[in-house]
Amino acid sequence: MHFFEYKKGELHAEDVPVSTLANEFGTPLYIYSFKTLERHVKAYEKAFSSIPHVICYALKANSNTSIIKLIGSLGGGADVVSGGELYRALKAGIPADKIAYAGVGKTEDEIRLALKSNILMFNVESEQELAEIDRIAGLMKTGAPIALRVNPDVDPQTHPYISTGLKKNKFGIPFEDAIEHYRLAAKLKNIRIVGIHKHIGSQLTKVSPFVDALKRILLLVDELSATGIRISHLDIGGGLGITYNDETPPDPAALAKNILPLLKGRDLTLVLEPGRSIVGNAGILVAKALYLKKAPEKNFIVVDAGMNDLIRPSIYGAYHHIQPVVKNRRKNTIADIVGPICESGDFLAKDREIQIVNRGELLAVMSAGAYGFTMSSQYNSRPRVAEVMVKGSEYALIRKRETYADLMKGETIARFV
Ligand code: LLP
């Protein structure tokens, strides 16, 4: 559900016509809806209100400070995967004790920053990482709170690039080795075991993989408790899907309904790490049609947003609905909607049925709030685009469009050229 709707044939972001924002801030432009974000965070909070929980929003989906701040103001925490994300979360006011830190490649500097900040826990992904965190915590004369990320070997039934919980994936500690790793962790002087973590993939549209994976993790929790290792935090990761096209993913309430019974009578704080399901449908990318091109076998609509602005269609073949900002009565056509980047893989949609578009008209790429801006780049020396947040009839620029000068920021000319 979101608040991007047509009013009198004009697409609005809440109460503001999208074309007003495009005129004021230019295109391409990311637009986010405050109310949609709020609705999604509240849906999670409500669904899990019956047990102790922390909704650690996955910053990788969208790390704009205004978005993090809004989520934090509604009680959310953060799931971070780098020193940069940790920095952003803290700057946006997320309390350190609501920050979980995951990722297979944490560096010494990043581990130090997290220890200094007193985060909730490290989600540890390997034996060597565990030893490294112990070593650094020892040097800093502190204790490191950890959860082990366990790979439950459950098929999330999603795109292979975004599935993470199978044996063949690089993530987590194999299920069979988990107990042994916990025993090891319990022996390390500067490690404090607080939790267990799993995340099996993204854009999951069924509830069963969540349930299957949780059941397996709970077996471990019980086995650990029998050996005297108590787990206080159960982190079930993120991954709830959204509707891009015709998917009907479970909502947080449906997820809760299926997993809360499994947690009955257990003294656990539940941690969730949703990213996409909070911000995905809360954002759109607005692009302008530059040229219409007819090739022998195809019609092309060339727009001013490219794979550097939204890479999901190019690398996952992801579907994003694309609709005219101002509805018209023209007939439909079939076209590829492509960007200006010099690559054939630069497309937002292929063979898409869409109302005939004229030059200069605006198109809205829907469900672009997650993994849109955060995965954008300056490829082809294209400045990253502006981001705007709308709340009712109010709106604010939450990230300026980069300039050409920004493209060269930090570069110096080698003295030998
Ligand atoms: N927790 C961990 C440990 C993760 O690796 C991820 C996502 C999340 C939470 C958040 O998952 P979500 O709720 O957003 O599904 N770029 C891809 C998605 C990559 C997801 C990576 N990990 C895409 O555009 O579809």
Side-chain angles (χ1 to χ4, degrees):
M1 268 301 291
H2 57 73
F3 291 91
F4 295 96
E5 273 157 14
Y6 286 99
K7 294 175 192 167
K8 295 192 183 137
E10 262 226 61
L11 187 65
H12 280 59
E14 301 195 10
D15 300 333
V16 183
V18 166
S19 53
T20 303
L21 299 171
N23 286 339
E24 183 165 341
F25 300 106
T27 57
L29 178 69
Y30 274 103
I31 302 175
Y32 307 111
S33 150
F34 179 103
K35 281 191 199 160
T36 311
L37 288 162
E38 185 182 49
R39 161 187 260 168
H40 293 164
V41 178
K42 286 188 172 167
Y44 271 102
E45 288 292 347
K46 183 162 173 242
F48 294 96
S49 60
S50 63
I51 59 164
H53 67 275
V54 195
I55 307 298
C56 288
Y57 166 65
L59 254 64
K60 59 177 86 65
N62 191 317
S63 54
N64 185 286
T65 315
S66 291
I67 290 179
I68 306 170
K69 209 166 159 69
L70 163 58
I71 294 168
S73 74
L74 296 167
D79 156 47
V80 302
V81 291
S82 66
E85 285 192 351
L86 176 55
Y87 177 85
R88 278 181 176 280
L90 293 169
K91 281 274 180 202
I94 302 290
D97 64 1
K98 287 187 183 173
I99 300 180
Y101 180 12
V104 293
K106 304 177 186 79
T107 65
E108 172 155 359
D109 284 350
E110 291 176 319
I111 293 167
R112 281 179 181 273
L113 175 64
L115 285 170
K116 207 172 76 192
S117 313
N118 281 323
I119 61 164
L120 169 64
M121 59 188 185
F122 290 88
N123 289 336
V124 177
E125 307 234 10
S126 68
E127 192 178 331
Q128 288 190 353
E129 183 195 329
L130 187 63
E132 180 69 348
I133 294 175
D134 177 58
R135 182 185 73 80
I136 297 167
L139 291 175
M140 291 174 69
K141 302 200 177 2
T142 184
I146 65 108
L148 293 186
R149 175 170 183 177
V150 177
N151 182 338
D153 194 25
V154 167
D155 186 356
Q157 302 168 36
T158 184
H159 192 288
Y161 285 9
I162 51 177
S163 90
T164 49
L166 285 169
K167 267 189 185 152
K168 62 179 178 194
N169 298 127
K170 72 175 175 183
F171 297 97
I173 289 159
F175 187 81
E176 307 73 47
D177 302 341
I179 298 288
E180 190 195 311
H181 278 65
Y182 269 105
R183 285 216 182 97
L184 187 82
K187 286 198 200 115
L188 296 174
K189 264 204 357 243
N190 312 301
I191 292 287
R192 188 160 47 85
I193 297 172
V194 298
I196 189 159
H197 174 234
K198 66 103 179 134
H199 169 83
I200 54 173
S202 200
Q203 183 57 12
L204 272 62
T205 52
K206 295 196 188 104
V207 95
S208 54
F210 285 104
V211 171
D212 295 347
L214 179 57
K215 283 186 180 157
R216 280 172 70 77
I217 295 295
L218 288 174
L219 291 176
L220 291 180
V221 173
D222 291 339
E223 211 176 321
L224 287 171
S225 132
T227 61
I229 297 176
R230 196 182 104 61
I231 299 291
S232 62
H233 287 70
L234 171 68
D235 183 344
I236 63 167
L240 209 59
I242 63 168
T243 304
Y244 285 103
N245 188 8
D246 52 8
E247 306 91 334
T248 49
D251 61 5
L255 181 67
K257 190 168 154 252
N258 281 273
I259 65 170
L260 286 180
L262 300 175
L263 303 177
K264 238 196 175 125
R266 291 177 180 272
D267 187 14
L268 289 167
T269 297
L270 184 68
V271 179
L272 295 109
E273 303 174 343
R276 189 191 318 266
S277 51
I278 291 195
V279 78
N281 282 327
I284 62 171
L285 172 64
V286 184
K288 190 161 72 185
L290 296 175
Y291 303 105
L292 311 167
K293 253 183 97 158
K294 253 193 189 329
E297 293 187 5
K298 288 249 188 204
N299 292 319
F300 292 102
I301 303 171
V302 184
V303 299
D304 61 357
M307 66 189 287
N308 70 301
D309 303 309
L310 179 69
I311 203 170
R312 303 194 68 257
S314 303
I315 61 174
Y316 312 119
Y319 177 96
H320 283 264
H321 203 60
I322 300 183
Q323 51 198 59
V325 166
V326 180
K327 270 194 188 160
N328 57 56
R329 284 172 202 278
R330 292 175 218 138
K331 282 205 308 250
N332 282 2
T333 176
I334 306 237
D336 281 13
I337 300 164
V338 302
I341 299 277
C342 301
E343 303 230 11
S344 293
D346 177 28
F347 59 88
L348 297 173
K350 287 227 159 182
D351 299 319
R352 185 65 60 84
E353 183 167 354
I354 185 164
Q355 280 184 354
I356 289 174
V357 177
N358 284 338
R359 286 190 64 190
E361 290 178 351
L362 298 172
L363 294 174
V365 185
M366 307 304 287
S367 317
Y371 308 106
F373 188 89
T374 46
M375 293 180 81
S376 70
S377 75
Q378 297 171 330
Y379 185 41
N380 278 200
S381 282
R382 289 166 43 83
R384 268 180 292 238
V385 308
E387 297 176 285
V388 169
M389 187 184 279
V390 177
K391 181 186 183 191
S393 54
E394 265 184 84
Y395 53 87
L397 181 65
I398 59 171
R399 195 182 207 273
K400 271 200 283 198
R401 186 177 303 281
E402 290 180 348
T403 62
Y404 289 150
D406 290 332
L407 294 175
M408 295 174 70
K409 195 169 162 228
E411 284 182 35
T412 46
I413 295 175
R415 64 179 180 282
F416 46 78
V417 295

